[in-house]
Amino acid sequence: PLRSASVDPTADDIFSATRGLRNAAGSDRVVFHMNMHGVPAPSPRGEIWAFNSEYTKYVPLPVSDVIGWLQPPALVVLECSRAGILLPHFAHARGAAGLGRAGTGAVDTAPNLSPASGAASPGGRSPRAGGGLASPSSAASEAALDWMVLAACAADETLPTHPAIPADLFTATLLTPVRTALHCRILDNPRGAPPALLQVIPLLRGSRRDKASLIGELHVVLTT
């Protein structure tokens, strides 16, 4: 499937979803959105949480496993408290890919990352290098693009839980930045947020690309 959603997933569900997306995408980039509201925050050891097969408790799932299942190139969105605590694990995977490409032996375009260590295993010649070996500088640049990770907050931060803002505020800023900016600006009014204005925001029409629309005009105002 080109699109897959897993609600309250088990580790097996996450494995099936990630491998299905990678198989469908081939060498194209996969977008993997981890919305982990309502579950424990990631652990310092780089573990996220999934249900066990009986749905009776949460069990830890090393994010290194998810990295190995996804394979690069991928864009990962971490929508959870303490999201930044997972960034070193993706940086390790990215570094392993870069070291593999810059080494004396050629490697696959998508190196096989070990779920346990994130190490790259040797493979065939890299198509990106034109059939030859990648130089250290080009390998590092390619590796930097292999894993693009957007974290909602730092390792020691928690997401806001105000009832007047979306629970997935970070995702809202990515998908509907103009509406979310207006929403937060109205709430930031020291004289209070007029309920009528908040109700108008979902009714705004247009897109950022259409500068003749209301959303397009607001996007220009907010970004220039």
Side-chain angles (χ1 to χ4, degrees), residues 114-202:
S114 165
S117 63
S121 63
R125 290 182 178 272
S126 171
R128 296 185 188 178
L133 298 179
S135 67
S137 58
S138 64
S141 299
E142 291 175 5
L145 295 176
D146 275 348
W147 290 104
M148 302 173 67
V149 185
L150 305 177
C153 59
D156 58 349
E157 294 178 329
T158 57
L159 297 182
T161 57
H162 195 285
I165 62 176
D168 52 349
L169 180 61
F170 183 58
T171 302
T173 62
L174 296 175
L175 299 181
T176 56
V178 175
R179 291 182 176 85
T180 305
L182 290 173
H183 194 111
C184 293
R185 182 64 185 91
I186 292 172
L187 291 176
D188 197 41
N189 189 334
R191 292 178 295 180
L197 282 181
L198 293 176
Q199 295 171 4
V200 168
I201 293 176

Side-chain angles (χ1 to χ4, degrees), residues 104-116:
T104 56
V107 298
D108 288 329
T109 301
N112 181 22
L113 299 177
S114 165

